[in-house]
Amino acid sequence: MMYADIVLPLAQPAYTFAVPEGMELRCGDAVAVQFGQRYIYTGIVWRLHGVRPDFKRVKSVGARLYDVPLLDERQMRFWEWMADYYMCTLGEVMRMALPSMAKPRGRSEEEFSAEVFRPRTEQYVVLAEAWRDAGALSAECDRIRRRAPRRCEALEALAAFGDEGRTEDGAIPRRLLDIDGAVLAALRKGGYVDVTERERRAERGGYPRFAPPRLTEVQARAADEIRASWASGVTTHLLRGVTGSGKTEIYMNLMAETLASGGDVLMLVPEIAFTAQLVERMERVFGSRVTAYHSKLTVLRRTETYMRLLHSEGGELVVGTRSALFLPLRRLRMIVVDEEHDPSYKQSDTAPRYNARDCAVVLASTFGGRVLLGSATPSLESYANALWHKYGYSVIEERYGGARQPDIIVSDTMRAVKRGERRSHFNIELIRAMEGALSRGEQVMLFQNRRGFSPFVSCRECGWTMRCPHCNVTLTMHKSSGRMECHYCGYTASVPRTCPQCGTADPAPMGFGTERVEERIAELFPEARVGRLDRDTSTSESAYNRIIKDFESGRSDILVGTQMITKGFDFGRVSVVGILNADNLLNSPDFRSSERAFQLMTQVAGRAGRRQTGGTVVIQTSEPENPVVRWVAAGDYDAMARSQLAERHAFSYPPYSRLVRLTLRDRDAVRLREGAVWLAGALRERFGRRVFGPVAPPVDRVREVFIVQIMLKIESGRPMSRARELLRGCLDRMAGEERLRQINVSVDVDVQ
Ligand code: ADP
Ligand code: ZN
Ligand code: ZN
């Protein structure tokens, strides 16, 4: 009798099932199995063996679901590494790694039969027969130009489109055209174009030559260094290039080589918002080889992608967010991690709490591939790896095309207040810079890292603040909705008219968020058109795109926003960037706060003057002498990195140690305290002074659940596997304690 250990998408160890007579199974196969009384799951066959488990009724495997295994040997090793390193189960890796359609869970087997995969289709556009004659078209354009300039522009673009990219019958894939939906619909209605929906062309067989942009001398030197370090056997190379230096062009050149030889390339980006922009840019060079992948695609689309890649013959370029690491790219030779310092590469909220950048390095070594990490402001971990010669390292300090670095002005808020040179949230320097830009028809971006109108309201008389009844935080005032809102649980309440404690009228909104900035701009610059980009205004993808497009096309002059505006975008007409309050970036208690503040401010500053004109960045702060501000102003990454590394070394923080954070949660505050003290004690027996806490995090109650944390700091060079083993021992012992086992404990290895 054969048995199969099967991984189910649960926080459980693999479970053993019997393999029915005559069923052929391989490791990595997806199978349907019954688990518990009613549920049927998709599981992955992890191990086949002849050892009968010692429980009484051994259930049998239901059915094999696909004709090919979903995972190959190397992916299985990768999952195992992940579960071990990040201290979770294989089931938890599975839950995240496979699109949910490949692991349905239902009450009967019938629900699995709906295995329908649509082929990928896309729209193709072609000029209607009557308008293919150049003379006729240009006469028509002249006729309609005044009334419909955008339609006219689109028609001319269609007429001017070359042969490359067209199908045999001359149709052009819509994605290669920059025509918006409304214009295309109007053209179609007017009989100017024919639009068809067709299966996406896969140019298989033979690998075409690609034409990535020609590199400048400086870029070519960096690309050569990268090739050389890969050739010498160094797997990972770090490329530090200032914003606008053309890192993307370097990636494309190296990708072209890999793709042309039939290898697969994975390009990771930190946020979904970037994929669309980047995919467009990649498609212009690599056409239909490009696939976008992220968690907001429909389940069907993700499953399709997974299945298509299972059968791929190589030469794939996937651009995606961190979950793209789990796609079956069987010829994976190159992984690019763009903006490698970005904290969103780390999944912190659910297991596996993995860092996609670090996983990329492991995955590449499993596949014998190479990794390129790119950033204008690398993480100190990667920078240290470069210093220690574990990674190759290249630097580009100049922008492409002779674009100047922006001038950075540090504006002292205290001094401005004293001299009467501050109006609401704006110091005189910023106001002048904005006036200048707007009068020249240029654009302005303003960064404030809080959304809403004000982060709390407070009574002028007694100091009362309005707090969330379910969480230990103040409620944020949102003026547009007229509500007080909890940013942790979503609870809302009406804006208080009087203080419930002393009866004083109109508690005052304190501090400011993006919404309040927007309101003040309207007072200071009544003529300017203002856009706002934050989580409240970009509730859907289309809302988000509209705000970006409005700014891009000049329909708005000023864009106010949170972190969302800091990254990636290439707006040519932005000449002034304002950081409204650097203080709250500088003063967070985290050991990474200086590094983060530097990265964030440098990113924001990089949005200014992307073209030849250069630009101005105004940083408003009450600490103009703060070293981080001075490093940003000087554009001195190395000084920041060296100073921060010295500090990390002195206090044994990463990269000189690894941090493991245990978070304990319970509705019962007394039991939680007891459990935390017990666990910290048990850990101290094993780890001694490497244990810190228990301590309450800044927000120590969310949705009625209390939270306590314990930190473990393991010096680099000490074996982590041993540390994990000891830690597991302690957690198992805790689970054996009747009263404490109810406490939820989560483990976060390499916390961000
Ligand atoms: P980074 O990713 O380093 O911020 P980008 O790759 O976005 O920089 O380049 C900045 C701008 O310069 C882009 O508009 C890009 O098209 C242009 N650019 C950079 N290098 C080249 C090149 N070699 N040829 C043509 N355009 C380039
Ligand atoms: Zn009061
Ligand atoms: Zn709340």
Side-chain angles (χ1 to χ4, degrees):
M1 191 69 185
M2 280 289 273
Y3 296 92
D5 292 348
I6 290 179
V7 172
L8 301 166
L10 302 168
Q12 305 252 1
Y15 202 77
T16 309
F17 292 81
V19 181
E21 210 56 50
M23 182 186 281
E24 266 187 48
L25 285 184
R26 290 148 302 182
C27 289
D29 267 331
V31 290
V33 290
Q34 190 180 357
F35 189 71
Q37 285 304 309
R38 295 177 303 166
Y39 285 113
I40 293 184
Y41 289 92
T42 299
I44 300 289
V45 176
W46 213 262
R47 212 165 63 83
L48 291 160
H49 56 84
V51 188
R52 190 184 196 285
D54 55 8
F55 40 81
K56 245 210 219 117
R57 244 192 91 234
V58 182
K59 287 186 193 147
S60 295
V61 173
R64 205 178 83 197
L65 296 175
Y66 304 103
D67 51 359
V68 282
L70 292 188
L71 302 181
D72 71 4
E73 172 69 24
R74 294 167 302 179
Q75 281 174 291
M76 292 174 77
R77 298 293 85 81
F78 177 58
W79 284 28
E80 280 169 353
W81 171 82
M82 224 170 153
D84 178 48
Y85 187 84
Y86 291 107
M87 301 190 67
C88 62
T89 64
L90 282 168
E92 286 168 312
V93 178
M94 173 180 178
R95 198 151 59 183
M96 193 202 34
L98 295 182
S100 52
M101 204 172 151
K103 51 175 166 59
R105 179 184 121 146
R107 275 157 225 273
S108 74
E109 250 177 81
E110 277 76 89
E111 288 178 40
F112 292 111
S113 53
E115 273 178 49
V116 277
F117 299 117
R118 277 182 305 125
R120 278 205 304 184
T121 63
E122 65 178 327
Q123 283 189 326
Y124 286 81
V125 184
V126 67
L127 280 174
E129 197 69 61
W131 302 112
R132 293 203 191 146
D133 176 75
L137 188 73
S138 91
E140 178 67 6
C141 278
D142 291 342
R143 198 177 68 78
I144 65 169
R145 191 174 310 274
R146 293 242 341 252
R147 188 162 45 83
R150 291 172 71 207
R151 265 175 255 176
C152 205
E153 220 173 85
L155 286 174
E156 284 166 348
L158 280 167
F161 199 91
D163 282 338
E164 197 159 338
R166 286 185 194 255
T167 58
E168 299 72 47
D169 59 349
I172 305 164
R174 160 88 193 276
R175 72 190 136 80
L176 300 181
L177 295 163
D178 185 24
I179 302 181
D180 80 36
V183 172
L184 188 63
L187 290 176
R188 204 172 172 180
K189 201 154 158 254
Y192 292 106
V193 297
D194 297 327
V195 179
T196 44
E197 187 85 23
R198 306 184 198 175
E199 192 167 328
R200 197 153 165 173
R201 223 167 23 128
E203 352 133 342
R204 292 287 161 241
Y207 297 103
R209 295 172 36 131
F210 303 106
R214 271 188 72 83
L215 297 182
T216 63
E217 211 169 296
V218 178
Q219 291 168 344
R221 181 180 47 75
D224 284 341
E225 286 169 5
I226 296 165
R227 287 190 198 94
S229 91
W230 285 346
S232 74
V234 178
T235 304
T236 306
H237 195 97
L238 173 64
L239 171 62
R240 177 165 78 78
V242 298
T243 357
S245 58
K247 293 186 290 295
T248 315
E249 278 68 20
I250 297 177
Y251 304 156
M252 288 196 275
N253 275 270
L254 296 164
M255 286 170 177
E257 292 159 20
T258 304
L259 293 172
S261 68
D264 297 329
V265 175
L266 174 62
M267 176 165 188
L268 294 180
V269 293
E271 268 163 59
I272 295 171
F274 301 166
T275 46
Q277 226 188 10
L278 203 61
V279 161
E280 245 176 58
R281 206 163 154 187
M282 293 293 158
E283 280 182 337
R284 267 178 241 139
V285 176
F286 302 113
S288 66
R289 271 148 202 288
V290 185
T291 305
Y293 190 84
H294 55 71
S295 57
K296 287 281 159 62
L297 296 174
T298 62
V299 170
L300 188 67
R301 271 289 290 285
R302 283 190 289 150
T303 310
E304 256 170 43
T305 303
Y306 197 99
M307 293 305 179
R308 188 178 63 75
L309 292 176
L310 271 182
H311 296 100
S312 161
E313 273 145 35
E316 302 282 348
L317 169 55
V318 174
V319 178
T321 51
R322 59 184 186 226
S323 56
L325 277 174
F326 301 97
L327 288 172
L329 292 167
R330 296 291 155 76
R331 290 171 181 77
L332 184 60
R333 303 229 182 100
M334 176 180 176
I335 307 180
V336 175
V337 184
D338 194 25
E339 309 285 357
E340 67 87 30
H341 65 278
D342 199 295
S344 26
Y345 279 124
K346 171 80 178 182
Q347 172 161 303
S348 299
D349 48 351
T350 49
R353 295 183 169 76
Y354 68 109
N355 185 321
R357 176 199 56 217
D358 302 338
C359 290
V361 174
V362 173
L363 182 66
S365 68
T366 310
F367 275 76
R370 309 285 187 225
V371 180
L372 178 54
L373 306 177
S375 172
T377 52
S379 64
L380 289 182
E381 283 85 348
S382 297
Y383 180 75
N385 279 325
L387 285 186
W388 301 333
H389 301 289
K390 284 190 195 159
Y391 294 174
Y393 187 44
S394 300
V395 179
I396 306 182
E397 295 277 16
E398 65 191 53
R399 287 177 156 193
Y400 170 78
R404 281 199 298 126
Q405 294 288 353
D407 297 323
I408 298 187
I409 299 172
V410 179
S411 173
D412 183 343
T413 300
M414 294 303 198
R415 202 183 59 183
V417 170
K418 262 189 230 135
R419 295 188 179 177
E421 294 179 345
R422 183 169 164 92
R423 243 161 286 153
S424 65
H425 317 299
F426 302 85
N427 300 349
I428 191 82
E429 285 95 340
L430 181 54
I431 294 178
R432 288 206 182 118
M434 288 173 70
E435 280 168 353
L438 295 173
S439 71
R440 291 188 300 270
E442 295 160 357
Q443 291 175 306
V444 176
M445 282 174 105
L446 297 174
F447 169 73
Q448 169 62 5
N449 68 339
R450 289 215 158 97
R451 68 192 169 98
F453 189 79
S454 78
F456 61 105
V457 297
S458 168
C459 172
R460 281 167 251 256
E461 288 300 319
C462 71
W464 167 85
T465 58
M466 192 173 192
R467 306 184 74 81
C468 178
H470 311 292
C471 312
N472 191 11
V473 286
T474 57
L475 296 179
T476 299
M477 182 173 158
H478 286 254
K479 213 167 182 184
S480 56
S481 62
R483 304 290 288 176
M484 302 295 295
E485 192 181 294
C486 173
H487 286 184
Y488 284 77
C489 74
Y491 170 86
T492 69
S494 54
V495 177
R497 294 274 166 77
T498 57
C499 168
Q501 208 160 270
C502 73
T504 306
D506 295 325
M510 308 295 282
F512 62 97
T514 46
E515 204 183 6
R516 196 171 192 173
V517 174
E518 188 185 13
E519 191 180 281
R520 290 295 179 272
I521 296 172
E523 294 163 14
L524 289 171
F525 302 96
E527 311 281 284
R529 294 158 303 174
V530 187
R532 171 159 64 92
L533 188 66
D534 56 29
R535 212 147 22 108
D536 301 314
T537 60
S538 60
T539 43
S540 69
E541 203 177 336
S542 64
Y544 174 89
N545 287 337
R546 185 160 359 98
I547 296 166
I548 299 286
K549 274 263 177 309
D550 279 351
F551 194 59
E552 209 166 30
S553 64
R555 281 194 291 275
S556 55
D557 309 303
I558 302 177
L559 184 63
V560 184
T562 54
Q563 255 89 324
M564 291 177 109
I565 65 166
T566 62
K567 311 173 182 178
F569 305 115
D570 188 2
F571 299 121
R573 265 174 296 189
V574 174
S575 67
V576 171
V577 166
I579 295 171
L580 291 169
N581 184 5
D583 300 356
N584 52 31
L585 299 174
L586 298 169
N587 296 324
S588 92
D590 187 354
F591 73 94
R592 280 187 228 269
S593 75
S594 294
E595 177 188 352
R596 284 277 147 75
F598 180 88
Q599 287 163 340
L600 204 57
M601 286 195 265
T602 305
Q603 297 282 335
V604 181
R607 302 304 116 212
R610 301 267 291 176
R611 302 280 148 80
Q612 270 63 15
T613 45
T616 306
V617 178
V618 180
I619 301 176
Q620 300 191 148
T621 174
S622 57
E623 301 176 46
E625 295 305 313
N626 187 304
V628 176
V629 173
R630 299 178 61 173
W631 292 321
V632 174
D636 198 343
Y637 173 85
D638 283 312
M640 184 283 293
R642 274 196 307 269
S643 148
Q644 287 304 301
L645 280 179
E647 209 166 284
R648 302 269 182 96
H649 188 242
F651 296 98
S652 182
Y653 274 116
Y656 301 95
S657 66
R658 288 178 182 280
L659 298 180
V660 179
R661 188 171 65 198
L662 303 161
T663 302
L664 290 75
R665 291 188 178 82
D666 197 341
R667 283 174 182 271
D668 181 340
V670 176
R671 182 171 61 194
L672 178 65
R673 187 75 211 160
E674 196 184 311
V677 169
W678 187 98
L679 182 58
L683 289 167
R684 283 206 169 85
E685 282 172 23
R686 299 269 179 257
F687 294 96
R689 51 175 184 77
R690 298 184 183 89
V691 181
F692 298 81
V695 290
V699 178
D700 62 359
R701 185 169 58 104
V702 173
R703 295 190 163 90
E704 309 291 358
V705 175
F706 294 90
I707 307 167
V708 167
Q709 295 177 326
I710 300 171
M711 191 76 95
L712 267 180
K713 202 191 250 181
I714 314 289
E715 307 89 308
S716 300
R718 294 246 158 196
M720 270 304 278
S721 52
R722 175 79 185 132
R724 288 194 298 267
E725 203 176 295
L726 292 173
L727 175 53
R728 275 192 202 101
C730 292
L731 293 173
D732 287 347
R733 265 173 60 208
M734 183 168 167
E737 297 277 318
E738 190 61 42
R739 193 172 143 70
L740 305 181
R741 101 168 36 128
Q742 327 225 18
I743 301 172
N744 176 296
V745 184
S746 62
V747 184
D748 189 342
V749 178
D750 297 340
V751 277
Q752 274 294 306

